[in-house]
Amino acid sequence: MLRYLTAGESHGPAISAILEGLPAGLPVAAEDIDRDLKRRQGGYGRGRRMQIETDTIEIRGGVRHGRTMGGPVSLVVQNRDWQNWTDVMAIEEADGPVRRRVTRPRPGHADLAGGLKYDRRDLRDILERASARETTMRVAVGAIARSLLGAFGIRVLSHVVRIGQVDADVSGLSNDEIIERAEASPVRCADEDAAQKMIAEIDRAKSLKDTIGGVFEVKVLNAPPGLGSHVQWDRKLDGRLAQAVMSIQAVKGVEIGLGFGVTRVLGSEVHDEIFYEDGRFYRETNRAGGVEGGMTEGEEIVVRGALKPIATLMRTIMSVDIETKEAFDSAKERSDVCTVPAAGVIGEAVVAFVVADAMQEKFGGDSLEEMQRNYQGYMDQVARY
Ligand code: EPS
């Protein structure tokens, strides 16, 4: 079993993770992790915080001479902004009044529910941990999961398919074209015309002091059939993917394959017909998004996440102060306008983790070579089927 925990606050000294269950002998390079951290920090519509941070991974355990040893991998990213928050976020007891106390919950954020639940009168105790800053660590963990998948020829990509009212059209593009175009686009969208309109949508939201959401799509290429299982609810791969994507801050919807679109058409237009040629089964469509009965069936895995507009707004929106119980309209001095491009990179990471976990579960192995031998044996069995 692969598992990880993250720790740390948005304006605390650092954020960190422990990732356990990797086979020994897996190549891990800080440059590969940094590449994904940088991709997460980009995207049109980010706020000023991203100009402060240059996320750089420190690997503090579990890796020696570029390879895992089988033990937990310990990861740390320093928060540069911490320098400006040492008193507000001090670990030690404060000896006077604390600056930047938050008593005004932002609608749509964890502030109020967390304040009630944890009985905190300074909502900073909630928002610091709820912040999407935490996704830095999910991306770092995902980068390592991606190296594990890479050892089996499995690739993970993402692109933005909607911002606000603007939809991308990528029909006719190969996956390589999608990756290439999305990586070159400021909104990580492979449809150039749509990308221009998305940028205009973000500018419009910004001019209204508002925020805007959208949809990202993650694809997993070359996953073997049989990851996950139909036999128990918590082993179903689609359920595990949905949980992982839904757990990304601001995600309100997850689709696999046609998703909610399955309700608009008849069964014969939903299910992917099965063909057999040259010793293998294949489909000509992939409306199932690569998962049937909670298991991969050998087609591309396609998962989409829908992001609400983020909850920190520069314009006013009604709320109630938790101390005075008086109504006020909230306004913020700093916020991202759109994080959908970054969320796609985070989506890749959490999906890569779930698929890597399912690979580890199916093929086991304490070393990468043992896992690869098990994988090969299974693929031979599938080829003989
Ligand atoms: C976030 C608020 C902003 C974002 C932050 C998430 O930070 P700040 O309050 O410091 O301006 O930039 O995202 C990140 C720091 C990040 O690394 O993605 C929030 O409240 O969720």
Side-chain angles (χ1 to χ4, degrees), residues 95-255:
D95 48 15
V98 176
R99 280 194 310 129
R100 307 195 71 152
R101 197 163 157 249
V102 179
T103 57
R104 298 177 156 194
R106 294 159 299 170
H109 229 288
D111 304 349
L112 181 59
L116 292 169
K117 176 176 168 67
Y118 289 91
D119 197 18
R120 301 284 86 196
R121 298 304 161 118
D122 180 353
L123 299 177
R124 184 163 297 288
D125 285 354
I126 307 303
L127 67 90
E128 284 287 337
R129 179 64 189 154
S131 165
R133 180 82 191 129
E134 183 261 348
T135 60
T136 303
M137 275 302 131
R138 299 213 225 178
V139 168
V141 164
I144 298 177
R146 193 197 290 278
S147 345
L148 179 59
L149 296 178
F152 298 87
I154 302 171
R155 291 164 73 202
V156 186
L157 66 100
S158 77
H159 61 120
V160 169
V161 296
R162 180 186 303 152
I163 287 180
Q165 302 288 325
V166 183
D167 286 305
D169 178 5
V170 296
S171 51
L173 293 185
S174 69
N175 285 319
D176 284 332
E177 286 168 328
I178 290 176
I179 298 180
E180 201 182 308
R181 291 177 190 210
E183 293 301 314
S185 158
V187 280
R188 305 199 70 258
C189 173
D191 172 348
E192 235 167 86
D193 285 347
Q196 290 308 318
K197 292 183 187 136
M198 288 173 178
I199 289 170
E201 282 281 273
I202 296 169
D203 289 341
R204 191 174 65 90
K206 190 173 182 183
S207 70
L208 297 170
K209 296 183 182 292
D210 221 315
T211 57
I212 190 162
V215 180
F216 62 82
E217 178 173 273
V218 180
K219 284 186 171 190
V220 183
L221 316 180
N222 209 27
L227 300 181
S229 174
H230 63 295
V231 304
Q232 200 62 260
W233 68 272
D234 58 352
R235 296 178 58 187
K236 288 176 188 271
L237 196 76
D238 40 6
R240 290 156 65 179
L241 288 167
Q243 199 275 333
V245 173
M246 188 63 101
S247 76
I248 298 171
Q249 288 80 342
V251 168
K252 288 303 246 183
V254 181
E255 284 187 326

Side-chain angles (χ1 to χ4, degrees), residues 11 40 46 49-50 106 109 131-133 136 334 336:
H11 303 98
R40 190 199 73 96
R46 292 285 250 161
R49 174 74 186 273
M50 286 303 104
R106 294 159 299 170
H109 229 288
S131 165
R133 180 82 191 129
T136 303
R334 178 168 93 182
D336 295 328

